[in-house]
Amino acid sequence: MALETLEKFIEWLQKKPQTFGYDAILAYDQSKTNLLLIQEYIQRFSGEFYFDPISLDAEFGAGTNWEYIYDYILDAPRLSFENSNISASEATLTMRIIAGTQLSVNKDYGEKVRWISRVRLADAVNGPLLRMTIDLRESSGSEDTLGRVTLDLSTGTSMYVTVGDSTEQDLIAGEKFQKLFNTWPPEKKVFELNTLTRQPADLLQPENFLIRTHPAPGADIYSGPNFGEGEVLVFIRMQGGAAESEVSIPPTNNGMHYLIPQGGGDEPLSA
């Protein structure tokens, strides 16, 4: 399903104010969002908050199967919006494991001897996936900033890692990773998508904001061209602008117009 053309989008904007009472809406699409995450992931290699190699073990079954993970390297987090809803700020976050080794160890019931049944080497092509549902959040601001749009790896839900032979085993592995993320300092597990700055000389001064995620048309169709596409929306109220009682957000995805039109080329237009 093709996105709306820029001409049609401008025509829609000219009909009436389309901000649901808010003074401004900032929208940026999946590719821009993930580019920010990749850039931050790369920048961390110059400091101390990059992802260290991960080693852990998980027991599957009643003492019959163990998975030992050595030196797993996590790639940059990426967001997709196939399950997003305008009523919340949830998105799907995926990280691929691009290096490391996994040993599968088994033992028959009543036996004492274990044996290695499988050795897996992860790389950027066939490495396991870590996947979760995550909320984008608003951090507190300061005199210079209204706040930040962030995500925290330790707050993910329904986390799983495709290292087992069943969904149950993948969920067990996901719990192991979540416990690990809980031990990380904020500088390591929190990623910043945007900082809303305050400029004293500006005529318009932002008062507060909230975040929502919104899927593109056809984002939930697995085989479709827009699968996983969507937008991060930041709804902003200005000082002296609309009162909190005068603003609202559509309760369903269909009630929110998709704010990323198609550009002149193949790339969508966003912030």
Side-chain angles (χ1 to χ4, degrees):
M1 183 182 299
L3 295 180
E4 185 177 36
T5 65
L6 180 59
E7 290 75 16
K8 289 289 186 182
F9 182 69
I10 293 175
E11 182 180 325
W12 171 77
L13 287 175
Q14 291 174 336
K15 292 179 181 179
K16 62 177 183 177
Q18 304 284 6
T19 59
F20 302 96
Y22 284 90
D23 298 298
I25 302 176
L26 172 65
Y28 43 106
D29 68 347
Q30 182 190 31
S31 61
K32 297 287 195 309
T33 302
N34 287 335
L35 180 60
L36 292 172
L37 292 174
I38 291 171
Q39 288 174 339
E40 185 169 350
Y41 172 84
I42 293 172
Q43 290 170 357
R44 292 182 180 204
F45 283 99
S46 62
E48 59 180 310
F49 296 115
Y50 60 88
F51 293 158
D52 295 310
I54 294 172
S55 296
L56 51 84
D57 62 86
E59 180 177 341
F60 300 148
T64 60
N65 174 227
W66 299 262
E67 300 294 332
Y68 294 93
I69 289 168
Y70 298 100
D71 294 337
Y72 266 7
I73 301 295
L74 291 171
D75 196 5
R78 291 172 172 82
L79 294 178
S80 59
F81 301 86
E82 61 270 20
N83 296 320
S84 295
N85 193 295
I86 188 64
S87 63
S89 59
E90 289 183 345
T92 299
L93 184 143
T94 303
M95 288 188 286
R96 182 171 290 279
I97 294 162
I98 56 175
T101 304
Q102 178 184 344
L103 297 181
S104 300
V105 177
N106 293 85
K107 180 174 72 70
D108 289 334
Y109 288 107
E111 297 293 332
K112 295 182 179 181
V113 178
R114 302 183 186 186
W115 70 90
I116 296 174
S117 59
R118 180 171 54 193
V119 178
R120 295 179 179 177
L121 300 178
D123 59 32
V125 176
N126 67 2
L129 291 177
L130 187 156
R131 195 173 175 91
M132 70 182 82
T133 300
I134 199 163
D135 275 318
L136 306 187
R137 301 194 172 190
E138 307 135 28
S139 70
S140 58
S142 64
E143 290 185 4
D144 298 323
T145 68
L146 183 60
R148 299 187 304 156
V149 180
T150 64
L151 61 86
D152 184 338
L153 298 179
S154 66
T155 64
T157 60
S158 304
M159 190 180 301
Y160 68 91
V161 189
T162 57
V163 298
D165 295 321
S166 68
T167 300
E168 181 182 6
Q169 292 178 352
D170 292 344
L171 290 170
I172 291 173
E175 291 176 0
K176 292 278 187 175
F177 273 79
Q178 188 157 40
K179 289 178 180 178
L180 175 65
F181 292 151
N182 287 338
T183 67
W184 287 3
E187 296 86 355
K188 191 171 184 178
K189 63 186 178 182
V190 175
F191 279 71
E192 179 181 309
L193 296 178
N194 194 12
T195 298
L196 302 178
T197 59
R198 285 190 171 107
Q199 299 293 337
D202 289 347
L203 177 63
L204 297 177
Q205 294 292 323
E207 177 72 22
N208 57 38
F209 71 98
L210 56 82
I211 310 162
R212 292 291 185 268
T213 54
H214 186 222
D220 59 343
I221 301 174
Y222 182 74
S223 59
N226 289 347
F227 178 73
E229 291 285 344
E231 57 188 353
V232 177
L233 301 176
V234 182
F235 295 82
I236 303 173
R237 289 197 308 114
M238 302 292 182
Q239 295 178 10
E244 192 167 352
S245 61
E246 298 172 336
V247 299
S248 63
I249 291 178
T252 65
N253 287 331
N254 290 335
M256 182 72 205
H257 196 92
Y258 193 64
L259 300 183
I260 309 292
Q262 193 73 36
D266 295 331
E267 293 295 321
L269 295 176
S270 73

